[in-house]
Amino acid sequence: IILRIGPLARLDRRFLSLLYNRRHFGVMTCAIAALHFKAVLDWYFAFSPLSPWVALLSADHQWSHIQGFPFIYLGLLAFMILLVLAATSHDFWLAFLGPASWKALHMSLYAAYGLILAHIALGALQDKQNLALSALVVTWATLLAGLHLIAGLKEWRQDRKPAPQRDGWIEATSLHALKDGCGVAVTLPDGERVAIFRDGHYLAAVSNLCAHQNGPLGEGRVMDGCVVCPWHGYQYRLKDGCAPAPYTERIATYSIALREEMIWLDPRAKALGTVVEPILIPETLLSTCDA
């Protein structure tokens, strides 16, 4: 369920609210894994003449056969990854490692869940021979992979969709594609993304990357003149890309123009903190847009 939140939010904006709690779900999963690990030591090897730790690491050693494969090692490795991710989930580690390194580290979550899947498949499914459990695991794993492939295909198409250009400016999107308080992400020729927002009667453009964890600002909402990142709630003023005081984060701003019903974008980013006044939507276009 946790790993489905990301692709579902890409495919349907109604799931965006779940992104705020994704880190807490991950720490909760680590806690559940810790309880499982303790239960195994206290119960599974309770009647072994060996120490539970020795019995745990020497239970199976048939590396060349599926039956008897040391699946416990897979679970231990997954648990260690979850421990590292839970321990580094605090924003201190994000600031210490930097957004790119922190994000790369936490992408190992997928390796952990893959190891958990193998741990279950080679352990519980073989031991219990439960067809219902087997069908459940295979079905959910297939659905998860399918959702990620569909969401990835959608992003891939957006990244490779050429945008018309004129005098160095890019035809970004139609005014009718913007709902009040929402944004649209536009891909630049160099692969970067810019988020264009409508705030009532005004339009503005900022970088699509949140300064906190490179979250997709284009999927956020506008509140009191600020875009709110859908991942963890960081806010940036649309006119200058600065976070409200006392916060100091800043993102790039961009110039836009409204030509008839099309929004055009200057792909050259302004220096951080540069004020770019939002453009006013004419009343004639505003009435047709809200119709």
Side-chain angles (χ1 to χ4, degrees), residues 15-51:
F15 291 96
L16 284 173
S17 59
L18 295 176
L19 286 174
Y20 286 105
N21 299 306
R22 191 166 49 174
R23 268 197 298 184
H24 305 302
F25 289 148
V27 174
M28 179 184 69
T29 303
C30 181
I32 293 173
L35 291 174
H36 170 71
F37 179 62
K38 185 177 186 302
V40 168
L41 286 180
D42 290 347
W43 175 79
Y44 194 70
F45 297 109
F47 300 101
S48 173
L50 301 174
S51 163

Side-chain angles (χ1 to χ4, degrees), residues 194-197 203-207 238 252-256 265 276:
V194 175
I196 301 176
F197 291 93
L203 299 171
V206 296
S207 170
L238 289 176
T253 52
Y254 292 81
S255 295
I256 56 175
L265 170 71
V276 178

Side-chain angles (χ1 to χ4, degrees), residues 65-215:
H65 298 86
I66 294 180
Q67 193 72 31
F69 188 89
F71 66 95
I72 291 178
Y73 290 160
L74 304 177
L76 280 174
L77 182 55
F79 182 44
M80 287 188 287
I81 295 175
L82 291 175
L83 281 176
V84 171
L85 299 188
T88 59
S89 64
H90 193 273
D91 280 348
F92 165 80
W93 291 102
L94 173 67
F96 180 75
L97 298 173
S101 298
W102 188 92
K103 189 66 176 180
L105 173 64
H106 280 251
M107 286 297 289
S108 62
L109 176 71
Y110 287 93
Y113 275 86
L115 289 167
I116 291 172
L117 186 62
H119 178 68
I120 295 172
L122 295 172
L125 295 187
Q126 289 192 88
D127 181 55
K128 301 295 184 182
Q129 296 182 352
N130 188 327
L131 294 179
L133 180 59
S134 300
L136 184 66
V137 171
V138 172
T139 300
W140 277 74
T142 303
L143 286 174
L144 177 63
L147 275 174
H148 277 274
L149 288 173
I150 293 171
L153 180 60
K154 178 184 177 183
E155 296 294 301
W156 180 82
R157 286 177 174 173
Q158 180 177 343
D159 285 342
R160 282 153 181 79
K161 183 179 179 180
Q165 299 186 38
R166 184 192 304 171
D167 300 328
W169 286 57
I170 296 173
E171 187 180 73
T173 185
S174 168
L175 180 61
H176 296 280
L178 279 173
K179 295 181 179 180
D180 190 13
C182 298
V184 169
V186 179
T187 304
L188 302 181
D190 61 1
E192 293 294 329
R193 286 189 175 182
V194 175
I196 301 176
F197 291 93
R198 178 187 167 191
D199 184 14
H201 292 58
Y202 295 92
L203 299 171
V206 296
S207 170
N208 190 57
L209 297 179
C210 177
H212 179 221
Q213 290 181 17
N214 292 334

